[in-house]
Amino acid sequence: MARIGRAAGQVRALAEATCTARRTYGASPVPTLRRARRLRTEAGFTYDEALHTGLLDPAMPDARARRFVSKDAVTRLSDRLNPVALITLTEQKAIFYRVIGETGLPMPRLFGLVGRGGGWAGDGRPVPVGPAASAVFLASGPPEEFVVKPSGGYHGLGVRVLRRDGDELVDLAGARTTPAGLAEELCADPLWDVFVVQERLRNHPDLDTIVRSDTLQTLRVTTFVTDDCDVQVVHAGMKLALGGGNVDNFREGTTGNALVEVDVLTGELGTPMAPAPGGLGLAPARGEVAGTEGVRLPGWDEVLALARRAALELLPCRNIGWDISITTRGPVVVEANRSYDPWPSAVFGDVVREVDRAHRSGGRVAGRTA
Amino acid sequence: MRLGQTLPQLAELGRATRAAMREYGEGPAAVLRRMRRLRARGFTYTEAVDEGLLDPAMPDGVRGRYLSRHVREIRQNVLNPLSLEDFTEEKLTFARYAESLGIPVPRTYGTAGRAGGWNRVAGRMVTGPDGFARMVAEDLADEFVIKPVLGYLGLGLRVLRRDGAVLVDQDGRRIDAAALHAELDADPAFDLFLIQERLHNHPDVDALHASPMLQTSRVTSLVTAGGQVRMLFVSLKVGTGTGGADNYRVGETGNGVAYVDLDTGLLGPALVPRPGRLGPIPASELDGHPIEGRPMPLLAECLDLVTRHAHAFLPMRTLGWDIALTARGPVVVEVNNFWASPHGPLTDEAWDLFFRG
């Protein structure tokens, strides 16, 4: 019975993806169905994922669509290269910042932890359970500007970049609250029980030549550690905060932000990509970022050095997607992702397959790596 | 469904009642009345029997200071955010963090298992049986310990020493490195194992009770709402059983536990499960070797170590620290969120701290 229910759900998802592709691209249903099925069975794409990555666009040649990689494929690879038993080291930010912060890697300063499970003030005192104690901490603990994000969060959900304005707190989207109101919200959050309170980082001023934004813009730098513990930087991309919110996450194009791949050898930007008209897949971005192709990121060698150093701190995890920001105080590790989302590009698909091959053969990732 | 839960409970109640009636010579009404009161405090019938709480000779004041697992875990979940459980329970992360803070811990040699082999000593990944055998032969000490990074209660622990070309475990089983690699890779319960230094008991611990197994102290701490570090209780696990670990595991291992009087620093009797359970008896009744009244080795050093470092694990507020008492001083082997106190009623002060601190 359950199997019939699942099959019916799959058929419905396939039909919906095909209909949407037909509406958006004017695509014939039969070739679309065929491609969607092939991407599902051969590469692990869900129908919705294939649709939103733009892979059902008939203008994209079959050979190119096949180079993309699905979330399922990346997760399978990640689970082989990064022990699942160690998942909370990277996925629980409260643990990550405390543990890896002790290694001396540049990271955002941690002011404390709050939430319905109680917390910790950076001065060593516990923040007792309950919103009242959290409100006292939020009112007096962190400085004028700070960031609050769920310890177990992902995709930038629940992140607030706050500054004090009198007795109130204002986030980057202009939403206002008070320490007591924020504490109530955090302690009543149905999804997350612990929130990290940390330093607000600022973009390096040279990044203004690419995008002028108050939102922190991060690079996603993917590393692979070889059998000999040599670290290869195998892919890099940058999230461009065009959307103006609290975060630079892309979330399938729903945030208004854009993406650009970075040449790992030179730190030069590729073609900035934004959600394509119709919202499916990517197209070259227009506007202020359109002319930034070829711009070299500031301090790229330092970014590479930081990624290489950080990768060795997380062994035996071997394949991490690092969120690194180039800030006013140099490159800083913002997060580490052991189950990262695939970068929506054919180049990234090639990289993932090459990492898989290198791991199986005990060799190195071939191609353009640093 | 409800009947499916009720019938086993009734059977458990029947077994427990019969056992208590036999042991203590009481009628069913008195046993059932006591049982009902304990059940209301969260004890399972079996737990009440195992702890000896149905003994009519136990004063109500003492019985009232025992913690049922149910009530204890509810409170521990309030004091220790569940989402951060792995901060201490995942042993590699704990060791990494403790090392960087300067907390003495066993040296980490690397990892093994199907999820990932890593030779930290030589700085290379370990793949396949040959790579593992090479690591064992070239980079590990003559004695070492392998345990699951997400293990508990000493399950899956192997204490190994080299004997020529083979390894010998705590049970005397001989195995070569390739076969050990295959066993770890095929382990159905755990996919990643920590390989670390083997520690040995301080001579003063061996003088109390000589045992080939590491006999650790359990220091249970609580950081109060005001930020003070207080101790709920301290005990010494006594290796009277078999196997590689000193864990008590609800009496299944045969190991004992002795509580320390924190005012005097002296050990109480080493308690072991009574044959057939129904509470503990002093181990000296079995082996004629009392430790009661003797000073707990390295107590001051253990308390100092925990006091200095308990804040480092906030917001986890109450932790059970397993500390090896070695010739080089106290060494923290593990830290536990869900500590227990088998056969140990809390003192009034500890009770108050745990529920109101």
Side-chain angles (χ1 to χ4, degrees):
Chain A
M1 200 58 158
R3 190 176 284 181
I4 294 172
R6 274 199 300 272
Q10 288 285 312
V11 170
R12 193 165 48 244
L14 176 58
E16 281 171 8
T18 306
C19 288
T20 307
R22 187 178 173 193
R23 270 198 310 275
T24 307
Y25 306 118
S28 308
V30 173
T32 306
L33 276 168
R34 201 176 294 135
R35 183 186 283 187
R37 281 295 298 154
R38 202 168 45 238
L39 288 166
R40 170 107 188 116
T41 55
E42 292 176 8
F45 281 93
T46 65
Y47 300 125
D48 188 61
E49 183 185 11
L51 175 74
H52 282 95
T53 311
L55 305 184
L56 302 186
D57 182 352
M60 182 184 286
D62 261 349
R64 181 171 168 76
R66 285 180 181 189
R67 287 174 57 202
F68 282 69
V69 70
S70 67
K71 173 73 179 171
D72 179 65
V74 171
T75 302
R76 283 170 194 271
L77 176 68
S78 167
D79 284 351
R80 281 201 302 280
L81 288 166
N82 305 319
V84 177
L86 306 183
I87 195 164
T88 49
L89 174 59
T90 49
E91 305 309 301
Q92 277 293 338
K93 301 176 212 321
I95 297 177
F96 176 72
Y97 292 126
R98 299 287 291 279
V99 175
I100 302 302
E102 287 297 327
T103 64
L105 283 179
M107 297 172 87
R109 200 176 144 215
L110 189 59
F111 300 129
L113 307 170
V114 292
R116 79 177 109 96
W120 163 78
D123 63 5
R125 282 176 303 116
V127 176
V129 174
S134 294
V136 170
F137 167 71
L138 290 169
S140 58
E144 285 299 297
E145 292 186 312
F146 58 97
V147 173
V148 175
K149 57 185 175 188
S151 173
Y154 49 88
H155 292 169
L157 297 172
V159 175
R160 296 165 169 92
V161 181
L162 298 154
R163 68 176 167 79
R164 295 184 194 282
D165 183 14
D167 291 336
E168 291 190 316
L169 299 168
V170 189
D171 78 7
L172 274 189
R176 302 179 84 86
T177 183
T178 60
L182 179 60
E184 288 280 355
E185 264 186 64
L186 300 181
C187 290
D189 194 290
L191 273 183
W192 293 296
D193 64 348
V194 177
F195 290 79
V196 166
V197 183
Q198 65 178 187
E199 175 187 8
R200 180 186 178 185
L201 298 170
R202 293 280 189 175
N203 294 316
H204 190 285
D206 288 359
L207 294 181
D208 283 352
T209 59
I210 303 166
V211 175
R212 184 184 290 274
S213 174
D214 275 346
T215 308
L216 187 69
Q217 303 183 99
T218 58
L219 295 155
R220 167 61 57 83
V221 179
T222 309
T223 54
F224 170 69
V225 182
T226 68
D227 281 2
D228 296 328
C229 284
D230 185 32
V231 181
Q232 291 187 277
V233 175
V234 294
H235 184 265
M238 185 173 177
K239 290 171 262 184
L240 302 172
L242 299 174
N246 284 292
V247 294
D248 63 354
N249 297 71
F250 189 65
R251 279 188 225 146
E252 292 185 337
T254 57
T255 54
N257 295 324
L259 300 172
V260 59
E261 287 186 297
V262 179
D263 183 331
V264 294
L265 288 176
T266 64
E268 287 175 6
L269 300 185
T271 307
M273 306 293 281
L280 304 179
L282 299 176
R286 297 176 181 183
E288 62 174 315
V289 296
T292 58
E293 185 169 345
V295 169
R296 190 171 197 270
L297 289 171
W300 183 246
D301 290 342
E302 287 79 11
V303 171
L304 293 178
L306 177 59
R308 289 194 191 105
R309 188 181 151 205
L312 294 176
E313 296 292 352
L314 282 195
L315 286 174
C317 296
R318 299 179 63 176
N319 180 216
I320 297 290
W322 298 92
D323 286 349
I324 295 179
S325 285
I326 303 174
T327 74
T328 45
R329 63 175 168 97
V332 173
V333 172
V334 179
E335 285 180 18
N337 302 277
R338 55 87 65 199
S339 309
Y340 50 83
D341 286 333
W343 194 271
S345 80
V347 170
F348 187 77
D350 296 340
V351 166
V352 167
R353 278 182 288 276
E354 183 53 26
V355 168
D356 193 12
R357 186 207 58 75
H359 174 235
R360 289 178 192 279
S361 68
R364 296 175 63 81
V365 173
R368 214 164 164 79
T369 68
Chain B
M1 190 60 172
R2 187 174 284 181
L3 196 64
Q5 285 165 347
T6 305
L7 288 177
Q9 286 224 350
L10 284 175
E12 188 190 348
L13 176 61
R15 272 195 307 274
T17 307
R18 278 195 300 277
M21 286 166 59
R22 253 197 323 273
E23 178 68 20
Y24 305 121
E26 280 198 315
V31 172
L32 284 169
R33 200 164 40 242
R34 202 167 290 122
M35 198 79 94
R36 199 183 62 224
R37 285 196 209 113
L38 288 165
R39 182 86 184 134
R41 290 175 46 208
F43 287 94
T44 65
Y45 302 126
T46 304
E47 197 181 359
V49 169
D50 286 353
E51 287 284 10
L53 301 180
L54 297 173
D55 184 349
M58 180 182 280
D60 280 343
V62 173
R63 191 181 289 115
R65 287 296 179 245
Y66 275 80
L67 273 172
S68 67
R69 177 178 177 162
H70 177 72
V71 167
R72 172 172 52 80
E73 289 190 352
I74 287 175
R75 184 64 185 154
Q76 285 168 331
N77 272 329
V78 170
L79 292 168
N80 299 331
L82 198 54
S83 61
L84 303 188
E85 185 179 4
D86 281 355
F87 196 9
T88 54
E89 299 299 305
E90 190 265 275
K91 298 178 202 319
L92 177 59
T93 293
F94 167 74
R96 211 190 293 257
Y97 184 52
E99 244 177 44
S100 63
L101 293 174
I103 298 174
V105 287
R107 190 171 169 221
T108 297
Y109 296 135
T111 62
R114 62 182 174 276
W118 172 41
N119 183 339
R120 188 192 196 200
V121 181
R124 61 172 175 260
M125 307 312 294
V126 176
T127 50
D130 292 345
F132 182 74
R134 185 174 153 208
M135 175 186 184
V136 170
E138 295 176 5
D139 300 310
L140 299 188
D142 284 341
E143 295 182 308
F144 56 94
V145 170
I146 296 185
K147 58 186 178 187
V149 299
L150 288 176
Y152 51 92
L153 301 178
L155 297 172
L157 177 88
R158 292 169 170 87
V159 182
L160 296 150
R161 69 178 164 81
R162 207 189 305 277
D163 184 11
V166 297
L167 298 165
V168 185
D169 75 8
Q170 67 269 22
D171 300 322
R173 200 169 63 103
R174 300 171 74 80
I175 187 168
D176 66 32
L180 176 60
H181 177 267
E183 276 187 19
L184 296 174
D185 253 21
D187 192 291
F190 303 108
D191 66 354
L192 188 68
F193 294 81
L194 181 63
I195 309 173
Q196 62 178 196
E197 175 187 9
R198 181 185 181 185
L199 301 172
H200 289 278
N201 293 317
H202 190 286
D204 289 353
V205 175
D206 277 338
L208 286 171
H209 181 91
S211 169
M213 70 178 76
L214 190 67
Q215 301 175 100
T216 60
S217 72
R218 163 64 61 84
V219 178
T220 308
S221 63
L222 181 131
V223 181
T224 66
Q228 276 184 309
V229 180
R230 305 286 296 275
M231 305 305 159
L232 297 180
F233 63 87
V234 176
S235 62
L236 177 69
K237 290 183 248 182
V238 186
T240 47
T242 55
D246 61 356
N247 298 72
Y248 188 74
R249 214 186 292 161
V250 207
E252 288 171 0
T253 55
N255 291 323
V257 57
Y259 287 87
V260 179
D261 181 330
L262 286 174
D263 291 329
T264 62
L266 301 180
L267 286 157
L271 302 170
V272 294
R274 190 187 295 268
R277 312 291 262 274
L278 285 154
I281 55 167
S284 54
E285 287 185 20
L286 301 178
D287 65 9
H289 188 76
I291 65 169
E292 186 173 5
R294 299 173 69 178
M296 167 79 171
L298 302 181
L299 177 61
E301 290 87 341
C302 287
L303 297 181
D304 176 61
L305 191 155
V306 172
T307 304
R308 279 189 290 122
H309 294 294
H311 287 109
F313 294 91
L314 285 172
M316 318 299 284
R317 287 180 57 195
T318 184
L319 296 171
W321 303 64
D322 287 347
I323 304 180
L325 311 171
T326 75
R328 65 174 157 109
V331 178
V332 181
V333 178
E334 288 180 17
V335 174
N336 303 275
N337 305 340
F338 292 103
W339 51 261
S341 54
H343 308 314
L346 298 185
T347 62
D348 288 350
E349 188 187 3
W351 186 276
D352 200 50
L353 275 170
F354 184 54
F355 287 102
R356 282 182 277 278

